[in-house]
Amino acid sequence: MSVSPLLRELIAEAVTYPALFDVEGAQGRLVRVLLDQLKAAPSSSLHLPVPETGPIQHIAEHLKTDPADDSTLEDWADRLGTTTRTLARNFKKQTDMTFGQWRQQARLLEALSRLAANQPVAHIAQDLGYSSQSAFSAMFKKALGVTPGQFFK
């Protein structure tokens, strides 16, 4: 889920409470607000559905090993001897994502792995096929609500 600054601070405060806090007092009211915020928080799925059959399985495997590949769906259709429409339909059917959404999600998950390994953001952006560090950071912030540098803080 996406954690807003308010939700983050509510959690930080709530974890300091004893297990048997006063549910009718100030601590109880804060916890109720925390629960309301959790219910309202938008989900931020980091799941990457893996296609299991057909040409899109080949595409997915390739993009996992080479996330910087900017080949379009048209390029893939030409390489695999099929149509763009068939690939698009199969991506949506097997992953519930468009090709572009799936590729971005794959890149995002790879970026998180590399950030966790303390790789420089500029290298990650370049390795994942972004034209600049700022383009990568903008995508990252749009997807996860924080910049790459803020994510693990």
Side-chain angles (χ1 to χ4, degrees):
M1 73 175 47
S2 292
V3 178
S4 69
L6 172 61
L7 183 55
R8 185 177 2 269
E9 293 304 317
L10 289 169
I11 293 168
E13 178 63 23
V15 298
T16 67
Y17 295 171
L20 298 174
F21 62 87
D22 179 10
V23 296
E24 299 301 323
Q27 291 177 338
R29 288 189 301 273
L30 186 135
V31 169
R32 285 191 294 279
V33 171
L34 169 63
L35 292 173
D36 287 343
Q37 289 295 305
L38 283 171
K39 289 176 191 171
S43 64
S44 176
S45 175
L46 294 177
H47 173 69
L48 185 66
V50 180
E52 296 181 6
T53 61
I56 65 168
Q57 180 182 21
H58 174 74
I59 297 169
E61 289 171 4
H62 175 79
L63 291 176
K64 282 184 182 180
T65 59
D66 184 10
D69 186 335
D70 277 334
S71 297
T72 65
L73 208 52
E74 292 80 15
D75 295 335
W76 282 109
D78 289 343
R79 281 187 219 152
L80 298 172
T82 188
T83 67
T84 303
R85 184 175 170 164
T86 297
L87 291 178
R89 186 175 55 246
N90 286 331
F91 249 102
K92 189 69 173 168
K93 181 179 178 184
Q94 289 189 41
T95 67
D96 200 33
M97 297 176 153
T98 66
F99 170 70
Q101 291 168 333
W102 192 93
R103 178 173 30 207
Q104 180 175 316
Q105 190 79 340
R107 287 176 173 175
L108 186 60
L109 289 173
E110 181 64 22
L112 288 172
S113 173
R114 292 175 184 216
L115 286 168
N118 291 317
Q119 291 185 14
V121 175
H123 292 153
I124 296 169
Q126 181 181 10
D127 291 348
L128 298 183
Y130 287 89
S131 59
S132 67
Q133 180 176 339
S134 61
F136 168 71
S137 293
M139 176 283 300
F140 194 96
K141 185 169 185 173
K142 183 177 179 185
L144 298 177
V146 294
T147 64
Q150 297 169 327
F151 188 79
F152 284 109
K153 289 185 180 175

